[in-house]
């Protein structure tokens, strides 16, 4: 199953990079990640960094998250966050616009784990089902997450029990993504 998650993520990333290349004639660019060290950074161009995905080379686990909350995580979410280093990518899933969150570097991986811990602590305090975010939306309070109990991909409104199932699992979700390329 984890190999299927990695393959689906890599497939989407390849489609995203190819689409960007076709529209702009170069690798994906990010102004937000400019100046932040990463194995993905290929070239600085103006106020942006051009990037390409790289294999994840740290320990492939989210043990810090599991230890902090005494919680076993869905293997799919571990695979998602430990497949590659890449820039965040814009996409559509059906009618939902989103930004697929990625790990930019080993230092960013530590920050992502800290944010996942904070998110899970909030869910626990609110006595809600544990979820792990994988994407943001245009609405600040809505995030795309994986339910740690079922593995379903959901859109949830932070701080509320409101949620909508988007896909039965993360592989189906990733396979259903369509790249959205911003102007550069």
């Amino acid at each position: 199953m984890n190999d299927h998650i990695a393959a689906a993520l890599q497939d989407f990333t390849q489609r995203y990079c190819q689409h960007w290349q076709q529209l702009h004639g170069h690798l994906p660019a990010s102004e937000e990640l400019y100046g932040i060290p990463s194995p993905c950074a290929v070239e600085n161009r103006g106020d942006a960094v051009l990037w390409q995905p790289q294999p994840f080379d740290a320990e492939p686990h989210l043990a810090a998250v599991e230890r902090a909350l005494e919680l076993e995580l869905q293997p799919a979410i571990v695979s998602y966050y430990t497949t590659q280093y890449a820039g965040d990518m814009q996409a559509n899933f059906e009618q939902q616009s989103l930004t697929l969150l990625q790990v930019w570097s080993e230092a960013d991986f530590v920050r992502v784990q800290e944010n996942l811990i904070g998110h899970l602590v909030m869910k626990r305090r609110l006595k809600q089902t544990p979820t792990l975010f994988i994407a943001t939306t245009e609405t600040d309070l809505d995030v795309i997450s994986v339910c740690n109990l079922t593995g379903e991909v959901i859109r949830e409104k932070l701080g509320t029990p409101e949620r909508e199932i988007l896909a039965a699992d993360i592989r189906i979700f990733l396979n259903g993504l369509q790249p959205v390329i911003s102007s550069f």
Side-chain angles (χ1 to χ4, degrees), residues 62-74 77-78 81 112-133 143 145-149 154 156 158-159 163:
L62 293 171
V65 177
E66 292 179 319
R67 276 192 313 270
L69 291 142
E70 298 177 353
L71 179 69
E72 185 175 337
L73 300 180
Q74 286 273 337
I77 197 73
V78 175
Y81 275 116
V112 165
Q113 289 183 82
E114 291 168 351
N115 288 339
L116 288 170
I117 290 167
H119 178 78
L120 286 164
V121 166
M122 175 196 67
K123 299 297 278 181
R124 188 174 278 176
R125 284 187 185 140
L126 294 172
K127 296 182 177 17
Q128 295 176 356
T129 304
T131 61
L132 298 117
F133 55 81
V143 296
S145 299
V146 174
C147 177
N148 198 54
L149 300 181
I154 61 170
E156 63 179 332
L158 295 175
R163 62 194 304 172

Side-chain angles (χ1 to χ4, degrees), residues 52-172:
Q52 65 182 22
Q54 295 297 315
F56 187 84
D57 62 1
E59 287 295 319
H61 58 70
L62 293 171
V65 177
E66 292 179 319
R67 276 192 313 270
L69 291 142
E70 298 177 353
L71 179 69
E72 185 175 337
L73 300 180
Q74 286 273 337
I77 197 73
V78 175
S79 181
Y80 174 81
Y81 275 116
T82 62
T83 292
Q84 65 185 12
Y85 295 116
D88 295 344
M89 297 174 276
Q90 289 69 44
N92 283 329
F93 182 81
E94 297 173 356
Q95 301 302 315
Q96 176 68 61
S97 295
L98 58 96
T99 299
L100 197 64
L101 301 174
Q102 293 290 283
V103 174
W104 181 242
S105 64
E106 196 166 338
D108 188 41
F109 184 56
V110 172
R111 183 191 60 80
V112 165
Q113 289 183 82
E114 291 168 351
N115 288 339
L116 288 170
I117 290 167
H119 178 78
L120 286 164
V121 166
M122 175 196 67
K123 299 297 278 181
R124 188 174 278 176
R125 284 187 185 140
L126 294 172
K127 296 182 177 17
Q128 295 176 356
T129 304
T131 61
L132 298 117
F133 55 81
I134 58 170
T136 59
T137 67
E138 294 171 347
T139 306
D140 288 341
L141 291 178
D142 287 354
V143 296
I144 309 300
S145 299
V146 174
C147 177
N148 198 54
L149 300 181
T150 65
E152 295 168 327
V153 176
I154 61 170
R155 179 178 54 227
E156 63 179 332
K157 187 170 291 297
L158 295 175
T160 75
E162 188 178 321
R163 62 194 304 172
E164 174 190 357
I165 298 171
L166 300 178
D169 63 43
I170 197 167
R171 183 187 55 80
I172 292 169

